């Protein structure tokens, strides 16, 4: 969520000031060495048209911010679901308790 964008003509680009945030996010997502691809994915929209033709267009700053926020939300949702699952598995009883009276 710390990655900022700047206007670059009709489109936008990742702000050089926030490049370190993008690099950290790429590393945490397992995309180390592919930081430029992550930056491109945030600022370029790719559409496949019927017939297989591929159309690429640049995002505006608000569109890139919205995409960045959606990516963050998806990552946090999956992380939260994983944590809840791990806690639930840890709380499962390991053996069946014997019934004891008195």
């Amino acid at each position: 969520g710390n990655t900022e964008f700047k206007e670059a003509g009709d489109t936008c680009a990742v702000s050089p000031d926030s490049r370190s945030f993008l690099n950290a996010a790429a590393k945490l997502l397992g995309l180390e060495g592919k930081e430029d691809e992550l930056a491109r994915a945030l600022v370029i929209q790719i559409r496949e048209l019927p017939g297989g033709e591929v159309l690429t267009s640049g995002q505006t700053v608000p569109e890139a911010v919205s995409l960045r926020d959606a990516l963050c939300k998806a990552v946090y949702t999956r992380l939260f679901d994983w944590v809840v699952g791990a806690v639930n598995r840890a709380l499962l009883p390991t053996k069946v308790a014997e019934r004891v009276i008195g």
Side-chain angles (χ1 to χ4, degrees):
N2 292 333
T3 302
E4 298 293 328
F5 303 94
K6 64 175 183 151
E7 295 287 334
D10 293 341
T11 63
C12 69
V14 173
S15 172
D17 295 338
S18 63
R19 192 66 187 197
S20 62
F21 298 120
L22 182 79
N23 293 345
K27 182 178 181 180
L28 292 171
L29 291 170
L31 300 172
E32 199 165 7
K34 297 183 179 181
E35 295 85 358
D36 291 336
E37 291 179 39
L38 178 58
R40 183 171 163 28
L42 291 172
V43 299
I44 301 291
Q45 183 176 21
I46 301 172
R47 295 185 199 119
E48 187 171 338
L49 302 176
E53 183 180 354
V54 177
L55 179 66
T56 61
S57 60
Q59 304 269 37
T60 63
V61 171
E63 291 170 335
V65 167
S66 179
L67 184 57
R68 176 205 61 200
D69 293 347
L71 176 62
C72 290
K73 182 179 178 182
V75 169
Y76 282 120
T77 297
R78 288 182 182 224
L79 180 61
F80 180 78
D81 290 346
W82 179 85
V83 168
V84 169
V87 169
N88 285 341
R89 285 188 298 279
L91 295 175
L92 286 175
T94 56
K95 63 179 180 175
V96 178
E98 295 179 27
R99 292 185 180 191
V100 177
I101 298 177

